[in-house]
Amino acid sequence: MNEPTRPSEIAREALRRLAERHLAPTPANYQACYHEIANLPNVAPFPEPQLRQLAGALKARNGEQERLLQEIDAAILRRSWQGVQDGFAGFAAAGGGKPERFVAPSVLPAEFAARLARFVEAVQPALGDGGELLRTGLAELLAQLRGPAPDPAMVQDSLARVAHHASFVAEEQGEIRESLLKLLQLIVANIGELSLDDSWLKGQVDGLLAAIVPPLTLRRLDDMERRLRDVMDKQSRAKARSVAAQQQMREMLSTFIERLATMNESSANFQERIESTAHKLKEVKTIEDMAPLLQDVVDASRWMAEETSVSRNQLASLQERVLATEAELIQLHLELDNASALARHDPLTDVLNRKGLDEALAREIAAMRRKEVPLSLSLLDIDNFKRLNDRHGHEAGDQALVHLADVARRSIRPTDTLARYGGEEFVIVMPETTADQAIEVMTRLQRELTRAIFLADKEKVLITFSAGVAQLGVDESGHDAIKRADRAMYLAKRAGKNRVMAA
């Protein structure tokens, strides 16, 4: 049988071969059969959709690039490979090329490398802890400089990374110094306004000493500044109340002294009347003359008894007022001792409460935008918490919350923030952490909980939680990120609990 030569015959034969070979009737398969029958090379089809997608992703920065995009579109329409190639090449050239990179020597001079290494070692202590990225970068740079043949390009790249991280550290160190100076100024300014109770001053000094223990962090100093301001505000109001209480004590003491003087005067008058009556009794001749004198004695005794009763009641009232004022001052001191801790911490778990979380989150968001680093948070909710309360009691439920908080504190980084969001919900704020990394942190915490035994009524209880993770957007508020994490947490609950899901 002769091979078909006319296009219509070739087309019919191509369709027949598609059916015989059980091939899908796609344009590519049809083209392959057609070219096979016509003895033509099977050239790949023109990728028009892909080229249009690529061209659509390009953004013109000037008029020339805009014109070239139009030419690329026309070339794609004509299915012209050369036109497309020329258009893309022209578009790249019209955007302005990058300056050529400086070509460094193949090997860094040994003396220069040694001096640069000594310089890096000299400035390293000034950068403090600096974080893992900076420590790793410095170690890598020193290893390259002390190697047998330091590669200039590698040293240049390492030096650029170290300088980038060091700039953030230097900025933070400057802010730390300013914050520390503010704290010292607050303490000194408040010394003259403190109450007579030296323990208040000691509490502030102890807090400052705790805040400046290395390594210093902005987070710790910011927390200390807020706590001191809270305590100082309470102390200012307490001082006014203490001064008023002391004035009341002085007035009561003055009244007490006056009452004693009155009692003394009354006693002297009574004694004088009794002595006068005694002298008169010596001159009495008859029983009739004695009766008036006896009546004077009775009246004087009754008057003295009434005066004594009044004085006793007044002194008892003064004593009650003194005790009440003293109790109020003692209670005020106790409240001041706990004021700082209660202001931003949950009393049950000793982690931050909602107020403390709001402040910590605002601080971390500001740092995220300043440093242009990721920030993620997770909202977790204990699984089957109501069932635990119903079966073992609310005390066991409270202990479960404390247990989870303790395990979480041991599992997260010192730079992370743990807060009780409400009920059995907790929020963990993780700076410089992507959503994927935050999911790993929460998954690790779930594993730690399975290893940490919790006993309720001498029964081992497995504590699990469901969590949602959200990485904050550049302009997103902390409240909106928590709402997203909350929605993801509920999805994790519906998916079977004991899961972590990204928002």
Side-chain angles (χ1 to χ4, degrees):
M1 180 178 180
N2 296 329
E3 289 289 336
T5 57
R6 289 185 298 177
S8 59
E9 295 174 345
I10 296 175
R12 284 196 297 271
E13 180 62 16
L15 291 173
R16 188 181 66 79
R17 291 189 184 184
L18 283 176
E20 287 179 350
R21 298 174 183 178
H22 302 289
L23 297 174
T26 62
N29 288 339
Y30 176 82
Q31 177 180 291
C33 290
Y34 188 97
H35 288 177
E36 178 185 344
I37 298 168
N39 293 320
L40 297 173
N42 188 23
V43 181
F46 188 85
E48 181 176 348
Q50 293 85 349
L51 289 175
R52 289 197 180 279
Q53 183 179 6
L54 179 60
L58 298 176
K59 303 297 179 183
R61 298 182 180 179
N62 51 51
E64 178 63 14
Q65 286 189 331
E66 188 171 328
R67 183 187 65 79
L68 287 167
L69 283 178
Q70 294 176 355
E71 288 188 5
I72 292 172
D73 185 72
I76 294 173
L77 185 62
R78 297 195 309 271
R79 307 172 72 85
S80 169
W81 275 110
Q82 187 62 43
V84 171
Q85 182 177 350
D86 293 343
F88 280 124
F91 183 92
K98 294 184 178 179
E100 294 185 1
R101 186 174 179 180
F102 170 72
V103 180
S106 58
V107 177
L108 206 65
E111 183 179 355
F112 177 80
R115 290 184 178 182
L116 185 56
R118 288 195 296 270
F119 172 78
V120 171
E121 289 178 330
V123 300
Q124 191 169 1
L127 297 174
D129 177 66
E132 182 65 26
L133 291 176
L134 181 60
R135 288 196 302 271
T136 303
L138 287 170
E140 180 182 347
L141 177 60
L142 287 173
Q144 292 171 354
L145 291 172
R146 289 172 177 158
D151 181 70
M154 295 178 62
V155 170
Q156 182 180 354
D157 291 341
S158 298
L159 190 58
R161 287 195 298 271
V162 168
H164 178 71
H165 296 311
S167 65
F168 291 128
V169 174
E171 179 183 354
E172 186 175 21
Q173 290 291 336
E175 294 180 5
I176 287 175
R177 287 193 294 271
E178 291 180 5
S179 296
L180 186 58
L181 180 59
K182 286 182 181 179
L183 289 177
L184 293 175
Q185 290 172 341
L186 283 172
I187 291 291
V188 174
N190 196 50
I191 287 176
E193 304 296 332
L194 287 174
S195 171
L196 296 177
D197 189 346
D198 292 337
S199 65
W200 293 4
L201 176 59
K202 183 178 183 302
Q204 293 188 19
V205 173
D206 290 345
L208 179 60
L209 291 176
I212 61 177
V213 173
L216 294 178
T217 64
L218 281 174
R219 182 177 293 100
R220 184 192 296 177
L221 293 174
D222 287 344
D223 286 342
M224 196 61 216
E225 179 180 355
R226 288 181 175 84
R227 291 190 183 191
L228 284 177
R229 289 190 182 278
D230 278 351
V231 173
M232 289 174 184
D233 179 62
K234 294 180 184 296
Q235 286 177 352
S236 177
R237 289 184 275 113
K239 178 184 176 182
R241 181 65 191 95
S242 179
V243 170
Q246 291 174 14
Q247 180 62 27
Q248 289 179 355
M249 296 284 278
R250 284 193 291 268
E251 292 175 357
M252 287 187 285
L253 180 60
S254 176
T255 303
F256 178 74
I257 294 174
E258 291 175 0
R259 191 70 252 172
L260 288 179
T262 302
M263 290 176 62
N264 186 52
E265 183 179 351
S266 298
S267 178
N269 290 338
F270 176 73
Q271 184 178 358
E272 183 179 342
R273 291 178 65 178
I274 294 298
E275 289 177 353
S276 175
T277 302
H279 286 302
K280 290 179 181 179
L281 283 173
K282 293 178 181 179
E283 300 174 359
V284 169
K285 302 296 184 182
T286 63
I287 294 298
E288 289 78 5
D289 295 333
M290 188 180 294
L293 296 176
L294 291 175
Q295 185 63 44
D296 287 343
V297 171
V298 172
D299 292 343
S301 298
R302 183 180 294 113
W303 173 79
M304 186 61 190
E306 292 175 354
E307 284 289 312
T308 301
S309 177
V310 171
S311 298
R312 183 172 60 251
N313 292 337
Q314 290 180 343
L315 290 177
S317 177
L318 282 174
Q319 184 181 21
E320 291 177 359
R321 291 169 61 191
V322 168
L323 293 175
T325 303
E326 182 180 6
E328 182 182 359
L329 289 174
I330 291 174
Q331 180 63 30
L332 187 60
H333 284 211
L334 292 175
E335 291 176 359
L336 284 170
D337 291 339
N338 298 323
S340 181
L342 293 178
R344 291 177 176 81
H345 284 75
D346 175 57
L348 175 64
T349 59
D350 198 33
V351 300
L352 291 179
N353 57 18
R354 289 282 286 270
K355 180 179 180 182
L357 172 64
D358 290 342
E359 295 177 354
L361 195 51
R363 185 169 60 253
E364 294 297 348
I365 290 175
M368 174 194 76
R369 292 169 180 166
R370 183 177 69 250
K371 298 180 180 180
E372 297 182 351
V373 293
L375 173 65
S376 296
L377 59 82
S378 176
L379 185 134
L380 65 91
D381 183 276
I382 297 179
D383 295 327
N384 306 316
F385 188 74
K386 183 179 184 300
R387 185 188 307 170
L388 188 150
N389 273 336
D390 293 342
R391 180 173 180 179
H392 300 283
H394 289 284
E395 183 175 354
D398 288 347
Q399 291 305 313
L401 295 173
V402 174
H403 176 75
L404 185 143
D406 291 340
V407 175
R409 265 191 293 256
R410 295 194 301 267
S411 301
I412 63 179
R413 302 170 302 179
T415 53
D416 298 335
T417 299
L418 175 64
R420 186 179 179 189
Y421 195 64
E424 64 271 24
E425 292 182 333
F426 292 81
V427 168
I428 301 178
V429 182
M430 294 163 276
E432 300 186 20
T433 304
T434 64
D436 290 341
Q437 292 170 333
I439 291 175
E440 293 178 2
V441 172
M442 302 309 296
T443 305
R444 184 169 62 249
L445 175 55
Q446 287 181 325
R447 290 196 298 267
E448 291 297 325
L449 272 176
T450 60
R451 287 194 284 263
I453 299 175
F454 174 69
L455 295 176
D457 298 332
K458 298 182 180 179
E459 176 184 344
K460 292 182 180 179
V461 178
L462 177 63
I463 304 296
T464 66
F465 65 80
S466 302
V469 170
Q471 181 175 336
L472 276 82
V474 177
D475 298 321
E476 188 178 24
S477 69
H479 178 70
D480 290 339
I482 290 177
K483 286 175 62 178
R484 287 198 296 117
D486 184 65
R487 289 194 293 268
M489 182 270 292
Y490 274 102
L491 291 176
K493 290 275 189 185
R494 294 177 60 183
K497 301 182 181 179
N498 195 24
R499 299 170 185 269
V500 180
M501 298 190 71

